[in-house]
């Protein structure tokens, strides 16, 4: 309720948390929309991984991805104080058991954005797929 979901392709290289050049345009667009339509909102950037690798490794990797996206969004004019990050590792799988090159594994490797607007506003959840572990 009071949520909107958008698919936004953002990819990471295998075993890598760096924002790739080809994904910057989508993140730039997200930053523009967030600045224009959600001023004063708190945005939580949630990172995820597929089930390949240990739980500890995937938790760290998912946090690093969320942090990398946050850092990029700050360069696009979003207030870093309004951006929170969290890594969920290999939990909340979209395609249970899919990992590596398995069909649907890329659906598990994603970043989502949860936008919480000031009191009385709505909440929007934006999903971004990411490739990599």
């Amino acid at each position: 309720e009071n949520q909107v979901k958008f698919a936004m392709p953002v990819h990471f290289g295998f075993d890598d948390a760096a924002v790739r050049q080809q994904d910057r345009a989508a993140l730039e667009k997200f930053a523009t929309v967030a600045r224009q339509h959600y001023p004063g909102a708190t945005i939580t950037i949630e990172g995820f991984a597929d089930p390949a690798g240990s739980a500890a490794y995937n938790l760290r990797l998912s946090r690093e991805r969320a942090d990398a996206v946050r850092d990029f969004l700050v360069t696009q004019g979003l207030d870093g104080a309004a951006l929170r990050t969290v890594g969920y590792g290999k939990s909340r799988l979209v395609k249970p058991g899919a990992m590596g090159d398995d069909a649907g594994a890329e659906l598990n490797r994603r970043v989502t954005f949860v936008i919480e607007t000031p009191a009385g506003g709505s909440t929007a959840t934006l999903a971004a797929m990411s490739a990599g572990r």
Side-chain angles (χ1 to χ4, degrees):
E1 189 171 314
N2 294 327
Q3 292 187 346
V4 179
K5 286 193 173 194
F6 298 91
M8 190 177 83
V10 174
H11 304 279
F12 294 97
F14 182 76
D15 194 29
D16 190 5
V19 174
R20 297 182 336 173
Q21 184 64 37
Q22 61 264 41
D23 299 314
R24 292 175 182 236
L27 289 172
E28 289 167 1
K29 187 177 219 180
F30 172 79
T32 299
V33 168
R35 279 193 319 273
Q36 291 176 354
H37 299 286
Y38 300 100
T42 298
I43 300 172
T44 301
I45 304 160
E46 301 175 328
F48 298 88
D50 73 21
S54 71
Y57 174 83
N58 283 318
L59 185 61
R60 181 182 55 78
L61 181 60
S62 65
R63 285 179 187 156
E64 290 174 358
R65 288 177 174 163
D67 289 344
V69 169
R70 177 203 55 216
D71 294 347
F72 182 80
L73 293 175
V74 168
T75 70
Q76 299 304 302
L78 292 183
D79 179 6
L83 300 174
R84 298 179 185 162
T85 61
V86 63
Y88 288 108
K90 56 186 176 180
S91 67
R92 300 185 188 181
L93 298 173
V94 173
K95 186 84 170 173
M99 65 180 99
D101 293 330
D102 294 346
E106 68 282 354
L107 299 175
N108 293 328
R109 300 183 295 255
R110 66 195 186 281
V111 175
T112 58
F113 301 90
V114 178
I115 301 174
E116 299 173 67
T117 57
S122 62
T123 301
T125 303
L126 294 94
M129 312 285 184
S130 61
R133 188 183 269 185

